[in-house]
Amino acid sequence: MKVSIVGATGYTGEELLRILAGHPQAEIIHITSESRTGAAIAGIYPHLNSFYQHTLDSLQDLDKIAAASDAVFIGLPHGHAMAAGKILAEAGVKVIDLGADYRFRDSKVYEQWYKVPHVHADAGAVYGLTELYREQVKAAAIVGNPGCYTTASILALAPLVKRGLIELNSVIIDAKSGVSGAGRGLSLNSHFTEMFENLKAYNVGGHRHTPEIEQALTDFAGQPLTISFTPHLIPMARGILSTCYASLKAGVTPEAVDEAFQALYGGEYFVRLLGRGAYPATKQTRGSNFCDLGWHIDERTGRVIVLSAIDNLVKGAAGQAVQNFNVMFGLDERTGLLQAPLYP
Amino acid sequence: MKVSIVGATGYTGEELLRILAGHPQAEIIHITSESRTGAAIAGIYPHLNSFYQHTLDSLQDLDKIAAASDAVFIGLPHGHAMAAGKILAEAGVKVIDLGADYRFRDSKVYEQWYKVPHVHADAGAVYGLTELYREQVKAAAIVGNPGCYTTASILALAPLVKRGLIELNSVIIDAKSGVSGAGRGLSLNSHFTEMFENLKAYNVGGHRHTPEIEQALTDFAGQPLTISFTPHLIPMARGILSTCYASLKAGVTPEAVDEAFQALYGGEYFVRLLGRGAYPATKQTRGSNFCDLGWHIDERTGRVIVLSAIDNLVKGAAGQAVQNFNVMFGLDERTGLLQAPLYP
Amino acid sequence: MKVSIVGATGYTGEELLRILAGHPQAEIIHITSESRTGAAIAGIYPHLNSFYQHTLDSLQDLDKIAAASDAVFIGLPHGHAMAAGKILAEAGVKVIDLGADYRFRDSKVYEQWYKVPHVHADAGAVYGLTELYREQVKAAAIVGNPGCYTTASILALAPLVKRGLIELNSVIIDAKSGVSGAGRGLSLNSHFTEMFENLKAYNVGGHRHTPEIEQALTDFAGQPLTISFTPHLIPMARGILSTCYASLKAGVTPEAVDEAFQALYGGEYFVRLLGRGAYPATKQTRGSNFCDLGWHIDERTGRVIVLSAIDNLVKGAAGQAVQNFNVMFGLDERTGLLQAPLYP
Amino acid sequence: MKVSIVGATGYTGEELLRILAGHPQAEIIHITSESRTGAAIAGIYPHLNSFYQHTLDSLQDLDKIAAASDAVFIGLPHGHAMAAGKILAEAGVKVIDLGADYRFRDSKVYEQWYKVPHVHADAGAVYGLTELYREQVKAAAIVGNPGCYTTASILALAPLVKRGLIELNSVIIDAKSGVSGAGRGLSLNSHFTEMFENLKAYNVGGHRHTPEIEQALTDFAGQPLTISFTPHLIPMARGILSTCYASLKAGVTPEAVDEAFQALYGGEYFVRLLGRGAYPATKQTRGSNFCDLGWHIDERTGRVIVLSAIDNLVKGAAGQAVQNFNVMFGLDERTGLLQAPLYP
């Protein structure tokens, strides 16, 4: 399969390059960057030295890129991805967008949270949370790859929502992310000296992953719901832990909760059920495409607490993108994604 | 004032020594450690070199210590503190215990969570969350100094509970702590290589700070309540951020929330009100006795989210102990605690 | 190839398991641990969940293990490895020892630095710094896999020593290692709270990797030399940077230095020559078997400074062990070792 | 004493504010920042909330500032400091410059390394390494406060050079610094995700602290010498460890080395002699003005290795500046600097 990456100099693009370097059925044709056009990959990312001899192309040549590629991964900022996606889709190339532009079925929700008009609302894009939308992804021409927080949070809550075990409007998600989630762009919030031995919340009640989680959970609930979502910055580079709280409906037993997780994920390779009472740790997923789940029943308060750990750059971004790519092209879903986590 | 420290080789004891080194009215008489009796302080804690010439005494000499001291800080494990506390109190020495033995008014609650019979239940101990129990502390002979998570969490929620602004049983506390909270005892959970770039929850629904928070909030609510409390380990040495969720009662305005914080803490030196919409960061309190508070109204869900940051070893342990000591002896509460936070 | 691992619960054993999980020609037969015999791998190392279904065997069954294995990796403490190695070698099994027992040609040097009598001095073991001793490794029955500091340091200096470009007794190696180098055993030095935002040297002038470096450099110099070696602990989990200083002989040009590196490593896959003036960074090798080299000429002082970065658990331990295994069995040396570094 | 700070929004300015907040004899009059003129200190540095009510002034008002101040600390970039220093000095204000402009007696050396013409070469500035130049500092009108690496390195080597115990041209300094040393300006090198679990050297052979170290050591040697200096970035916020190597002259005994340290620093409060065989750790100086020294004799190679640990922002910058201020005004040198290190 001939594959290109459009917008490759952020962390998700870089991570795609790392993963695809070990993918036996993907040949990288073009890699673009507007800020570094003409530079050699190995000059920007010395760790990829000896894996890539490419120099960076420009978006200007999108037609050429489309003609040469079976699939294109898009790593552009939101608002820009849909412009490129439109051209690529019309050229018959399969598209996996790692940003937000193709994640929402209702473009009004997108426009409300992202403050940009949607220019490709009729794309027929599919939401690429692979385990939960696999059949749609198989047939998709364009996949909107989920956000990092959303992947961890939706996987944690979908079993409970689907089985109707929790009070829908009781959901609170307290999520913690390593600083790579803030990207490679410089800012005081990602300045080493500021974030080292530091910890804080941000965007309380207003983070853009909120409507994405609500869209998916609504799908499984069969009715709309509203959640509280609070993201936090943690002084580490990679990893997300999502701590999800919900009130159990009266009479729901711990075994019914266990069963809901087994039923939905028992056959999944990338979702590892550590079980009731278990404590997933982000480092046990580092560098891998796994989502580790553990859950707890707090009998004093009637709540269930689900803990969900991923590597934000892999299952939360580039890894899931490759998983979707595999599904779209009929490959074994795990191709190129079988690395064991890098622990410790 | 002549002061001794019983059980000084854990992190809270060490932190007491650091703070008291700068306290103009406390003269350190005895410092004990059963595991290191006879050793020089500067040998165990080289950073305190040039501050202390003491060698470590033993608990065996508790009578002698009592006779020589106006006040004793206890840094012993729970279960052991009350045995020492009893002897000291009977000798007329003022006691500030940094562990759990004197935190509960109902010794049955203590015995249920700590699995030890209480041997000093009639101590008349006072719960030492200074800002909220100052009048009792003034008159106390024994103070049970609060836990780290509890200090951050109770300060965050007391204003809302006291004014009746929230649904009592909707409280969820998602707390994050640096690894020093796990103490100086060796364990795989505090092994550098395991916790570096790692993040996990522990003791979901069962952490012993839960009943302590409930006791205090019940005081201010005037009726019992039950909370969900989830602690997390964060890859940093110092700092706690407590993210507290509660449902606002119908009709409560943002301004009413602001006012509740102002009313309770407007005149407090060590509680800094960053305001509505603000994001306290643990590093901005590092090494200091401050508790920084920010709060947010999530109008979509009708919840209030309070963020509370402290240094777990200072306001969450040794700093508040010194604050209580000052109050008990009629000194300016801030004596020895005026250091600015160590940032960055 | 049937492969077993004897002593697998330290970090090097764990890392072997991680790497061999992706090795297409190694089938893991037995894995032993005396402290955890009978336990499931996935219980001890949850990150390896879904890769290994083995339970841990005991050294007691070494004969059985020998009979079932083509090769055995030994991860036992020094002194214990040679006892097992002897039995395995006599049973005709190929042995790769990750400890120090088989690293020294002169068992007296071993005994002097390690304070244990050598019980298998006639083993005919080969020193497994693959790039420099490849021909011997090919034919070896027992390989003594090099230490982490030594791998980084010898690779840095061998080109200069071999070409006679430096004053032999001017060599100073200032090496910095992540805390995983201190192993999984608990100690105050590896306690998170102690080592976080901390930095110190240890074992100045007395570290056991010193004679190992001297043995190899003596091989290439053709005459004995003595070096200064200073290791440091750095607050990170993985990675070694070795900063190597030497005085250039009179008249040696920068180009001659460049050429020495090219001549020795120009065809090597795992040694990446970043070039003169370059700054290798440990993170650019993380999780990979690469050694990145950069070098500098300080014309003011007539010194050459070589910078060498590796992942101490991979090229410094388990990765090089697998590389040696590949060489011993005639496989492509890179088999199972083609993962790109995990950056950032 | 009325004190102003010119250029206060970098880390050294911020650290000055932290320290001076606890200085009983310094009243802060003006604080300037060109980039944030008009802003409140507490808005930029929330951790200083409740310590300063000042808003930031501008350099435009330097005359007014001079008129209102007994002393001014300058935290401006090199090249800019001397312009301000000239005006202030001519107005009779005592000046402590934390940058490089006043560190060199020979302005040609300055111009060669800093590539700017010196406009105040006749300032009669004194080099402010307090322990070694105290008498000159007492009488100084302008002090050039030393760099961070230089403070650690000169204090480590001065005793040996002064006593003539080492071969002058054998000195190699391998220094390691936390990332705060790179300042508050944004750059990829200080981006959290890039530097976390990472380690690298920079500016080998060309760092601007090199001539500063050479100037001071030449003073004590009585003859010129040339050193090798290699700085490294360590993934932590604060702290410098300088590992200094030198060849002992023939016949120098370990006791002579010990004596050299005792003779020079035996009466110094801020230099703590941990002794021969000791390992200073940066964290044991964190937040304090101490420099901890340990030294080792490597008998195999005839070298002495001195280890020197400081907090780069305190003894390496703002702390030593306050120490100089105290000396210049005849105060107890330790005023405002008596805080115990923040450990752990």
Side-chain angles (χ1 to χ4, degrees):
Chain A
M1 237 71 61
K2 295 187 186 312
V3 165
S4 295
I5 301 174
V6 162
T9 42
Y11 285 139
T12 55
E14 177 188 13
E15 190 71 358
L16 267 174
L17 289 170
R18 181 183 74 84
I19 293 171
L20 291 172
H23 194 296
Q25 274 154 294
E27 186 193 352
I28 310 292
I29 307 302
H30 292 287
I31 309 172
T32 80
S33 161
E34 299 317 289
S35 58
R36 305 295 301 269
T37 312
I41 282 288
I44 299 175
Y45 287 129
H47 68 289
L48 293 177
N49 203 322
S50 74
F51 291 93
Y52 291 97
Q53 276 67 47
H54 301 68
T55 52
L56 289 163
D57 294 322
S58 164
L59 263 184
Q60 311 281 351
D61 302 314
L62 197 53
D63 291 337
K64 201 181 75 184
I65 293 168
S69 311
D70 298 311
V72 171
F73 292 92
I74 304 181
L76 300 170
H78 76 264
H80 298 264
M82 54 191 169
K86 203 166 182 207
I87 293 168
L88 292 164
E90 285 165 10
V93 177
K94 299 228 174 193
V95 170
I96 299 134
D97 175 31
L98 285 95
D101 286 3
Y102 293 107
R103 291 180 188 159
F104 296 91
R105 273 195 306 275
D106 181 348
S107 60
K108 288 213 189 55
V109 174
Y110 172 84
E111 293 176 345
Q112 176 192 340
W113 286 80
Y114 287 85
K115 317 286 179 204
V116 212
H118 206 295
V119 303
H120 196 198
D122 59 346
V126 162
Y127 188 65
L129 213 164
T130 330
E131 282 76 9
L132 301 175
Y133 297 87
R134 188 178 283 119
E135 290 312 308
Q136 293 96 306
V137 171
K138 273 186 194 164
I142 302 189
V143 164
N145 208 59
C148 50
Y149 286 126
T150 58
T151 295
S153 304
I154 296 168
L155 286 172
L157 289 163
L160 303 173
V161 167
K162 211 170 172 182
R163 288 263 169 134
L165 304 183
I166 57 173
E167 303 291 348
L168 288 184
N169 286 320
S170 70
V171 173
I172 290 175
I173 300 171
D174 189 284
K176 297 99 181 158
S177 174
V179 183
S180 67
R184 213 184 187 208
L186 303 181
S187 84
L188 208 51
N189 262 338
S190 324
H191 196 56
F192 187 92
T193 310
E194 302 285 318
M195 266 315 296
F196 186 78
E197 193 160 44
N198 200 359
L199 168 60
K200 60 180 162 189
Y202 64 104
N203 273 5
V204 170
H207 193 280
R208 286 162 166 177
H209 285 182
T210 311
E212 203 181 320
I213 300 171
E214 288 176 351
Q215 170 182 271
L217 295 186
T218 295
D219 281 356
F220 300 112
Q223 53 177 292
L225 83 180
T226 312
I227 61 159
S228 282
F229 175 73
T230 306
H232 298 77
L233 271 184
I234 303 294
M236 60 186 197
R238 286 172 179 251
I240 281 179
L241 184 74
S242 203
T243 307
C244 307
Y245 300 85
S247 297
L248 288 170
K249 284 190 183 156
V252 172
T253 63
E255 291 71 27
V257 171
D258 298 354
E259 222 175 273
F261 282 97
Q262 275 302 336
L264 196 53
Y265 301 130
E268 292 295 342
Y269 182 78
F270 289 122
V271 178
R272 299 194 293 195
L273 298 178
L274 307 192
R276 177 149 43 101
Y279 293 101
T282 57
K283 201 172 195 171
Q284 286 165 2
T285 67
R286 186 169 68 160
S288 82
N289 200 46
F290 292 110
C291 174
D292 284 359
L293 296 176
W295 54 95
H296 299 256
I297 311 295
D298 184 352
E299 299 198 348
R300 299 171 67 255
T301 60
R303 293 197 181 96
V304 57
I305 295 105
V306 189
L307 302 165
S308 174
I310 61 169
D311 183 321
N312 57 307
L313 295 178
V314 190
K315 184 62 178 169
Q320 185 153 250
V322 171
Q323 189 182 358
N324 284 324
F325 165 81
N326 290 336
V327 170
M328 291 164 90
F329 284 90
L331 306 174
D332 180 331
E333 189 169 319
R334 301 170 304 171
T335 312
L337 294 168
L338 284 166
Q339 294 191 3
L342 190 71
Y343 186 96
Chain B
M1 237 70 60
K2 295 187 186 313
V3 165
S4 295
I5 301 175
V6 162
T9 44
Y11 286 139
T12 52
E14 178 187 11
E15 190 72 358
L16 268 175
L17 289 170
R18 180 182 74 83
I19 293 171
L20 291 172
H23 194 296
Q25 273 153 297
E27 183 193 353
I28 310 291
I29 307 301
H30 292 285
I31 309 171
T32 80
S33 161
E34 299 317 289
S35 58
R36 307 295 301 271
T37 312
I41 281 288
I44 298 175
Y45 287 128
H47 67 290
L48 293 178
N49 204 323
S50 74
F51 291 93
Y52 290 98
Q53 276 67 47
H54 301 66
T55 52
L56 290 162
D57 294 321
S58 165
L59 263 184
Q60 309 283 351
D61 302 314
L62 197 54
D63 291 338
K64 203 180 74 186
I65 295 168
S69 312
D70 297 311
V72 170
F73 293 93
I74 304 182
L76 300 171
H78 75 263
H80 298 265
M82 53 191 167
K86 201 163 183 211
I87 293 167
L88 292 165
E90 285 165 8
V93 178
K94 299 229 175 194
V95 170
I96 298 135
D97 176 31
L98 285 94
D101 286 2
Y102 292 107
R103 291 179 190 158
F104 295 91
R105 273 195 306 275
D106 181 348
S107 60
K108 289 213 188 57
V109 173
Y110 173 82
E111 293 177 346
Q112 176 191 340
W113 286 81
Y114 287 85
K115 316 290 179 200
V116 213
H118 206 296
V119 302
H120 196 198
D122 59 347
V126 162
Y127 188 65
L129 216 163
T130 329
E131 282 77 9
L132 301 175
Y133 295 88
R134 188 177 283 120
E135 290 310 309
Q136 292 96 308
V137 171
K138 273 184 194 166
I142 302 190
V143 164
N145 207 59
C148 50
Y149 285 126
T150 57
T151 295
S153 304
I154 296 168
L155 286 172
L157 290 162
L160 303 173
V161 167
K162 211 168 170 183
R163 288 262 170 134
L165 305 182
I166 58 172
E167 302 290 348
L168 288 184
N169 286 319
S170 71
V171 173
I172 290 176
I173 301 170
D174 189 284
K176 298 98 180 158
S177 172
V179 184
S180 66
R184 214 184 185 208
L186 303 181
S187 84
L188 209 50
N189 262 339
S190 323
H191 196 56
F192 187 92
T193 313
E194 301 285 319
M195 266 317 295
F196 186 77
E197 192 159 45
N198 200 0
L199 169 58
K200 59 181 164 189
Y202 65 102
N203 273 4
V204 170
H207 193 281
R208 285 162 166 175
H209 286 181
T210 311
E212 202 180 320
I213 300 171
E214 289 175 353
Q215 170 182 274
L217 295 186
T218 294
D219 280 357
F220 301 111
Q223 53 175 293
L225 84 178
T226 312
I227 62 160
S228 281
F229 175 72
T230 305
H232 297 77
L233 271 183
I234 301 295
M236 59 186 199
R238 286 172 181 252
I240 281 179
L241 185 74
S242 203
T243 309
C244 306
Y245 300 86
S247 297
L248 288 170
K249 285 191 184 155
V252 172
T253 63
E255 291 70 27
V257 171
D258 299 354
E259 221 177 273
F261 282 97
Q262 276 301 338
L264 196 53
Y265 301 131
E268 293 294 342
Y269 182 79
F270 289 122
V271 177
R272 299 194 293 194
L273 298 178
L274 309 192
R276 178 149 41 101
Y279 292 102
T282 56
K283 201 173 195 170
Q284 286 165 1
T285 66
R286 188 169 67 161
S288 82
N289 200 47
F290 292 110
C291 174
D292 283 0
L293 296 176
W295 53 96
H296 299 257
I297 312 295
D298 184 353
E299 299 198 348
R300 299 170 68 255
T301 61
R303 292 198 181 96
V304 58
I305 295 105
V306 189
L307 303 165
S308 173
I310 61 169
D311 183 322
N312 56 307
L313 296 178
V314 189
K315 183 63 179 169
Q320 185 153 251
V322 172
Q323 190 182 357
N324 284 323
F325 164 81
N326 291 337
V327 171
M328 290 164 90
F329 284 89
L331 307 173
D332 180 329
E333 189 169 319
R334 301 170 304 170
T335 312
L337 294 168
L338 283 167
Q339 294 191 2
L342 190 71
Y343 186 95
Chain C
M1 237 69 62
K2 294 186 186 315
V3 165
S4 295
I5 300 173
V6 162
T9 41
Y11 286 140
T12 55
E14 178 187 12
E15 190 72 358
L16 268 174
L17 289 170
R18 180 182 75 83
I19 294 171
L20 291 172
H23 193 296
Q25 272 153 296
E27 184 194 352
I28 310 293
I29 307 300
H30 292 286
I31 309 171
T32 79
S33 162
E34 300 316 290
S35 59
R36 306 294 302 268
T37 313
I41 282 288
I44 298 175
Y45 287 129
H47 68 290
L48 293 177
N49 204 324
S50 74
F51 291 92
Y52 290 99
Q53 276 67 47
H54 300 67
T55 52
L56 289 162
D57 294 321
S58 165
L59 263 184
Q60 311 282 350
D61 301 315
L62 196 55
D63 291 338
K64 203 181 74 186
I65 294 168
S69 311
D70 297 312
V72 170
F73 293 93
I74 303 182
L76 300 170
H78 75 264
H80 298 264
M82 53 191 168
K86 202 165 183 209
I87 293 168
L88 292 164
E90 285 166 8
V93 178
K94 298 229 175 192
V95 169
I96 298 133
D97 177 30
L98 285 95
D101 286 3
Y102 292 107
R103 289 179 190 160
F104 296 91
R105 272 195 307 276
D106 181 347
S107 59
K108 287 210 190 60
V109 174
Y110 172 84
E111 293 176 345
Q112 177 192 338
W113 286 80
Y114 286 86
K115 317 288 179 202
V116 213
H118 206 296
V119 303
H120 195 198
D122 59 347
V126 163
Y127 188 65
L129 214 164
T130 329
E131 282 76 9
L132 300 175
Y133 296 87
R134 188 179 283 119
E135 290 311 308
Q136 293 96 306
V137 171
K138 272 185 193 163
I142 303 190
V143 164
N145 208 60
C148 49
Y149 286 124
T150 58
T151 295
S153 304
I154 296 167
L155 286 172
L157 290 164
L160 303 174
V161 168
K162 212 169 170 182
R163 289 261 169 135
L165 305 182
I166 58 173
E167 303 291 349
L168 288 185
N169 286 320
S170 71
V171 173
I172 290 175
I173 300 171
D174 189 285
K176 296 99 180 157
S177 173
V179 184
S180 66
R184 213 183 188 212
L186 303 180
S187 84
L188 209 51
N189 262 338
S190 323
H191 196 57
F192 187 91
T193 311
E194 301 286 319
M195 267 315 296
F196 186 78
E197 191 158 46
N198 200 358
L199 169 59
K200 59 181 163 188
Y202 65 103
N203 274 4
V204 169
H207 194 280
R208 287 163 166 174
H209 285 181
T210 310
E212 203 181 319
I213 300 171
E214 288 176 351
Q215 169 182 272
L217 295 186
T218 294
D219 281 356
F220 300 112
Q223 53 175 292
L225 83 179
T226 311
I227 61 160
S228 282
F229 175 72
T230 305
H232 297 76
L233 271 183
I234 302 294
M236 60 187 197
R238 288 173 178 250
I240 280 179
L241 184 74
S242 203
T243 308
C244 306
Y245 300 85
S247 297
L248 288 170
K249 283 190 183 154
V252 173
T253 63
E255 292 70 27
V257 171
D258 298 355
E259 221 175 272
F261 282 97
Q262 275 302 335
L264 196 53
Y265 301 130
E268 294 294 341
Y269 183 79
F270 289 122
V271 178
R272 299 193 293 194
L273 298 178
L274 308 192
R276 178 149 41 101
Y279 293 102
T282 57
K283 201 172 195 172
Q284 286 165 3
T285 67
R286 188 169 66 159
S288 83
N289 200 48
F290 292 110
C291 174
D292 283 0
L293 295 177
W295 53 96
H296 300 256
I297 312 295
D298 184 353
E299 299 197 348
R300 299 170 68 255
T301 61
R303 294 198 180 95
V304 58
I305 294 106
V306 189
L307 303 165
S308 174
I310 61 169
D311 183 322
N312 57 307
L313 295 178
V314 190
K315 184 61 178 170
Q320 185 152 251
V322 171
Q323 189 182 357
N324 284 324
F325 165 81
N326 291 336
V327 171
M328 291 163 90
F329 284 91
L331 307 173
D332 180 331
E333 190 168 317
R334 301 170 303 171
T335 313
L337 294 167
L338 285 165
Q339 295 190 3
L342 189 71
Y343 186 96
Chain D
M1 236 71 60
K2 295 187 187 312
V3 166
S4 295
I5 301 174
V6 161
T9 43
Y11 286 140
T12 53
E14 177 188 11
E15 190 71 359
L16 267 175
L17 289 170
R18 180 183 73 82
I19 293 171
L20 291 172
H23 194 295
Q25 273 152 295
E27 184 193 354
I28 310 291
I29 308 300
H30 292 287
I31 309 171
T32 80
S33 161
E34 299 318 288
S35 58
R36 307 293 302 270
T37 312
I41 281 287
I44 298 175
Y45 287 128
H47 67 289
L48 293 178
N49 203 323
S50 73
F51 292 92
Y52 290 98
Q53 275 69 47
H54 300 67
T55 52
L56 290 162
D57 294 320
S58 164
L59 264 184
Q60 310 283 350
D61 302 315
L62 198 54
D63 292 337
K64 201 181 74 185
I65 294 169
S69 311
D70 298 310
V72 170
F73 294 92
I74 304 182
L76 299 171
H78 74 264
H80 297 265
M82 52 192 168
K86 202 164 182 211
I87 294 168
L88 292 164
E90 286 166 7
V93 178
K94 298 230 174 192
V95 169
I96 297 135
D97 176 30
L98 287 93
D101 285 4
Y102 292 107
R103 291 180 189 158
F104 296 91
R105 272 194 307 273
D106 181 347
S107 61
K108 288 213 189 57
V109 174
Y110 173 83
E111 292 176 346
Q112 176 192 339
W113 286 81
Y114 286 85
K115 317 288 179 202
V116 212
H118 205 296
V119 303
H120 196 198
D122 58 348
V126 162
Y127 188 65
L129 215 163
T130 330
E131 283 76 9
L132 301 175
Y133 296 87
R134 188 178 283 119
E135 291 310 309
Q136 293 95 308
V137 171
K138 273 185 193 166
I142 303 189
V143 164
N145 207 59
C148 49
Y149 285 125
T150 57
T151 294
S153 303
I154 296 168
L155 286 173
L157 290 162
L160 303 173
V161 167
K162 210 168 172 183
R163 288 261 169 134
L165 306 183
I166 58 172
E167 303 291 348
L168 288 184
N169 286 319
S170 70
V171 173
I172 290 176
I173 300 171
D174 190 284
K176 299 98 182 157
S177 173
V179 184
S180 66
R184 212 181 188 211
L186 303 181
S187 84
L188 208 51
N189 262 338
S190 323
H191 197 56
F192 187 92
T193 311
E194 301 287 319
M195 266 316 296
F196 186 77
E197 191 160 44
N198 200 359
L199 169 59
K200 59 181 164 189
Y202 66 102
N203 273 4
V204 169
H207 193 281
R208 286 163 167 175
H209 286 181
T210 310
E212 202 181 319
I213 300 172
E214 289 175 351
Q215 170 182 273
L217 295 186
T218 293
D219 281 355
F220 300 112
Q223 53 177 291
L225 83 178
T226 312
I227 61 159
S228 282
F229 175 72
T230 306
H232 297 77
L233 270 184
I234 302 294
M236 58 186 199
R238 286 173 179 251
I240 280 180
L241 184 74
S242 202
T243 308
C244 306
Y245 300 86
S247 296
L248 288 171
K249 284 191 183 154
V252 171
T253 63
E255 290 70 27
V257 171
D258 299 354
E259 222 175 272
F261 282 97
Q262 275 302 335
L264 196 52
Y265 302 130
E268 293 294 341
Y269 183 78
F270 289 122
V271 177
R272 298 193 294 194
L273 297 178
L274 307 193
R276 178 149 41 101
Y279 293 102
T282 56
K283 201 173 195 170
Q284 286 164 3
T285 66
R286 187 168 67 160
S288 82
N289 199 47
F290 292 110
C291 174
D292 284 359
L293 295 177
W295 53 95
H296 299 256
I297 312 294
D298 184 353
E299 299 198 348
R300 299 171 67 254
T301 61
R303 293 197 182 96
V304 58
I305 295 106
V306 189
L307 303 165
S308 173
I310 60 168
D311 183 320
N312 57 306
L313 295 178
V314 189
K315 183 62 179 169
Q320 186 154 248
V322 172
Q323 188 182 357
N324 284 325
F325 164 81
N326 291 336
V327 171
M328 292 162 89
F329 284 90
L331 307 174
D332 180 331
E333 189 169 318
R334 301 171 303 171
T335 312
L337 294 167
L338 284 165
Q339 293 191 4
L342 190 71
Y343 186 96

